């Protein structure tokens, strides 16, 4: 088990990759998971799903706005106080920031994406550093996107925020290595799960075509034409959080089915 007896924090619990991160962490042996989101209802649902899968796993749920530094500190401190340590943080909270072209000139979507994807991730990461430094070990993983390197329609704001986050990963990794803390990112593309299923349904309805046609179009750039599932991408992120990735620091792992290859 990759995460046997580990304490794992996940920000941005939702119906997509967020809940899969928590569930897969439990599957890989985590003894406790701490989950946050802005919605209490989603957190309750997530806790129920975790306990249904692993009744003995300890769960801390806390409504948290990652754009509020004090709220992030409260979440991290509550986790450390309850479980005694923080082995890993997965920053999954995000906002797409709308779908618009750069030339449209509306900076509000960009500000929202930057506030949550960049600053929110940094707020949460800073909040866990005192505990990780005290332990002399820890892993932080940022969920990023292949849109940083492969533009797609309407992805300018989201990808710009993730590009800034990619630079922050490298700096934070270099700064914290002396404390035994690793910082990495996982770059995902289209993931077959509830959020993308909703986009496929909406796109198909708007165009008057079948959902399978839209799904095939979304998957066309992926070798084999198969979108990886949310849980598959979650496992890639959790690998980076595990001791098996102890030699990996400041890196970005592609988890997009081969849509981007180096």
């Amino acid at each position: 088990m990759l995460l046997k007896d580990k304490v794992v924090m996940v920000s941005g619990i939702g119906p997509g990759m967020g809940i899969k991160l928590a569930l897969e962490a439990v599957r890989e042996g985590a003894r406790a998971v701490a989950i946050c989101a802005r919605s209490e209802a989603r957190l309750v649902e997530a806790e129920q799903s975790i306990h249904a899968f692993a009744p003995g796993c300890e769960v801390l749920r806390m409504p948290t706005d990652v754009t509020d530094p004090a709220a992030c500190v409260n979440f991290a401190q509550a986790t450390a106080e309850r479980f005694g340590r923080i082995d890993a943080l997965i920053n999954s909270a995000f906002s797409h920031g709308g779908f618009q072209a750069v030339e449209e000139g509306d900076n509000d979507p960009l500000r929202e994406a930057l506030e949550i994807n960049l600053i929110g991730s940094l707020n949460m990461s800073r909040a866990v550093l005192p505990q990780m430094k005290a332990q002399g070990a820890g892993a932080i993983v940022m969920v990023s996107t292949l849109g940083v390197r492969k533009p797609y329609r309407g992805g300018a704001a989201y990808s710009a925020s993730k590009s800034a986050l990619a630079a922050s990963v490298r700096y934070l990794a270099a700064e914290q290595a002396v404390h035994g803390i690793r910082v990495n990112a996982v770059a995902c593309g289209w993931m077959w799960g509830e959020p993308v299923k909703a986009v496929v349904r909406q796109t198909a309805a708007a165009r008057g075509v079948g959902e399978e046609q839209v799904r095939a179009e979304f998957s066309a750039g992926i070798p084999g034409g198969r979108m990886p599932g949310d849980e598959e991408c979650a496992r890639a992120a959790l690998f980076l959080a595990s001791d098996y990735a102890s030699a990996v620091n400041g890196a970005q792992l592609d988890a997009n089915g081969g849509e981007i290859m180096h």
Side-chain angles (χ1 to χ4, degrees):
M1 292 184 174
L2 287 179
L3 300 169
K4 184 173 174 56
D5 298 328
K6 300 288 190 184
V7 175
V8 179
M9 297 178 67
V10 181
S11 75
I13 290 293
M17 188 175 177
I19 181 58
K20 295 300 174 62
L21 283 163
L23 289 171
E24 293 300 320
V26 174
R27 189 190 303 275
E28 290 298 334
R31 69 175 174 89
V33 290
I35 56 177
C36 81
R38 283 180 287 189
S39 167
E40 173 71 16
R42 282 186 174 176
L43 290 173
V44 170
E45 183 179 352
E47 182 177 19
Q48 292 171 344
S49 296
I50 293 166
H51 282 153
F53 177 74
C57 181
E58 294 187 81
V59 179
L60 170 66
R61 70 173 197 265
M62 183 175 291
T64 304
D65 180 352
V66 296
T67 66
D68 180 353
C72 293
V73 169
N74 289 341
F75 180 40
Q77 290 180 342
T79 302
E81 288 169 7
R82 178 163 172 183
F83 303 125
R85 61 185 296 110
I86 299 170
D87 294 296
L89 164 68
I90 317 295
N91 282 303
S92 180
F94 82 99
S95 168
H96 193 273
F99 288 81
Q100 64 168 7
V102 175
E103 70 173 338
E104 291 180 42
D106 181 358
N107 285 321
D108 287 342
L110 175 59
R111 289 190 181 95
E112 178 180 319
L114 287 168
E115 191 69 27
I116 296 175
N117 303 339
L118 173 63
I119 298 175
S121 294
L122 294 179
N123 284 342
M124 202 62 254
S125 299
R126 294 185 189 108
V128 302
L129 289 179
Q131 177 61 38
M132 288 185 174
K133 286 181 179 180
Q135 323 169 160
I140 297 171
V141 181
M142 314 291 193
V143 177
S144 190
T145 174
L146 65 77
V148 168
R149 288 169 292 160
K150 182 179 180 179
Y152 64 95
R153 185 183 299 274
Y158 181 63
S159 298
S161 69
K162 294 295 190 177
S163 293
L165 185 62
S168 296
V169 165
R170 292 189 288 271
Y171 276 87
L172 193 58
E175 294 165 1
Q176 299 303 319
V178 68
H179 302 293
I181 301 169
R182 298 181 297 105
V183 186
N184 293 289
V186 58
C188 306
W190 291 112
M191 295 181 288
W192 191 241
E194 288 307 317
V196 171
K197 289 178 182 178
V199 173
V200 167
R201 286 193 297 268
Q202 293 164 6
T203 303
R207 292 172 48 191
V209 299
E211 292 180 17
E212 283 304 315
Q213 177 180 329
V214 175
R215 180 178 179 179
E217 291 172 1
F218 284 9
S219 304
I222 305 172
R226 186 187 74 86
M227 277 188 224
D230 290 340
E231 69 282 356
E232 294 177 88
C233 296
R235 290 174 200 144
L238 294 171
F239 162 74
L240 291 173
S242 77
D243 293 340
Y244 279 80
S246 60
V248 183
N249 196 27
Q252 178 168 281
L253 174 64
D254 286 321
N256 44 59
E259 189 167 358
I260 290 285
M261 295 187 184
H262 291 288

